[in-house]
Amino acid sequence: MREWLHEYRAILYKVIRSYAVTIQDQEDLFQEISFQLWKSIGNFNGTSKTSTWIYRVSINTALNWKRSEKNRKEYASIEMLTEIADASNSKKIDDDVINQLYSHINQLTRGERAIILLSLDGLSYNEIADIVGINASHVGVKLSRIKDKLTTNMKGIINELQRS
């Protein structure tokens, strides 16, 4: 299990950062996801990729965690997460810009966050559909709407990124 937590830390980080605002909440959610992964590892039968299974458990845990913590502020992910992840890995974008972009995820629903995270991480419509429990064609419709919403909300930041 430790190896999986290390190997798939990018997935865990994206999910946790998308659903928890404060460092304390992020730590709590990480513990909850780790526990749920450990508890359900016996159910992993290998018919899907390990990363798909980890996404499914992590997102479902985060959704349940959010529901049980009604007083927590909603937090979310961002459009252009792929570009931001690449840029942050190469240090082209500073932490303030990344934080601003993540803050725009607050405007998405929990389901929208899950879909955009999975899409930006390169999962196919079928894989996303399998994880979130909708059909693949509906994933495409939802992604289009999510991207439109994020583009509208993030115009200032997108312009800033394009200038860099």
Side-chain angles (χ1 to χ4, degrees):
M1 177 57 76
R2 227 180 245 168
E3 295 83 24
W4 278 6
L5 292 177
H6 179 73
E7 184 176 350
Y8 297 102
R9 69 183 174 272
I11 290 172
L12 298 173
Y13 178 76
K14 288 176 193 175
V15 172
I16 291 166
R17 179 103 190 252
S18 296
Y19 288 88
V21 177
T22 67
I23 298 294
Q24 181 63 45
D25 287 347
Q26 291 172 5
E27 290 171 357
D28 290 348
L29 183 53
F30 174 78
Q31 288 179 4
E32 184 63 26
I33 289 171
S34 298
F35 174 71
Q36 291 303 322
L37 286 167
W38 174 80
K39 191 169 104 176
S40 59
I41 199 165
N43 297 331
F44 179 62
N45 58 15
T47 57
S48 63
K49 292 191 297 188
T50 305
S51 60
T52 301
W53 179 77
I54 287 176
Y55 257 127
R56 176 180 283 157
V57 172
S58 297
I59 288 174
N60 286 335
T61 301
L63 290 171
N64 289 331
W65 180 81
K66 271 313 253 192
R67 278 186 215 116
S68 69
E69 300 295 331
K70 292 182 183 187
N71 292 330
R72 294 184 194 273
K73 291 182 180 177
E74 290 209 288
Y75 207 74
S77 48
I78 42 178
E79 208 249 344
M80 299 174 60
L81 187 58
T82 303
E83 179 181 338
I84 293 160
D86 291 343
S88 66
N89 288 338
S90 64
K91 296 298 180 191
K92 289 181 187 172
I93 299 178
D94 66 15
D95 287 341
D96 288 339
V97 173
I98 292 170
N99 288 335
Q100 288 176 20
L101 291 170
Y102 265 102
S103 72
H104 284 277
I105 302 259
N106 279 330
Q107 298 169 20
L108 299 175
T109 67
R110 292 184 296 250
E112 289 171 335
R113 279 180 264 163
I115 290 169
I116 195 72
L117 278 174
L118 296 169
S119 172
L120 293 170
D121 214 28
L123 275 70
S124 71
Y125 285 11
N126 288 332
E127 290 171 314
I128 295 170
D130 185 42
I131 291 169
V132 298
I134 61 177
N135 67 47
S137 61
H138 198 186
V139 169
V141 171
K142 284 191 159 286
L143 273 173
S144 177
R145 291 178 183 161
I146 293 166
K147 288 176 183 178
D148 288 346
K149 186 185 294 188
L150 287 171
T151 300
T152 300
N153 292 341
M154 297 172 27
K155 281 186 181 180
I157 292 172
I158 291 169
N159 290 337
E160 183 178 330
L161 286 173
Q162 291 172 341
R163 282 181 285 194
S164 348

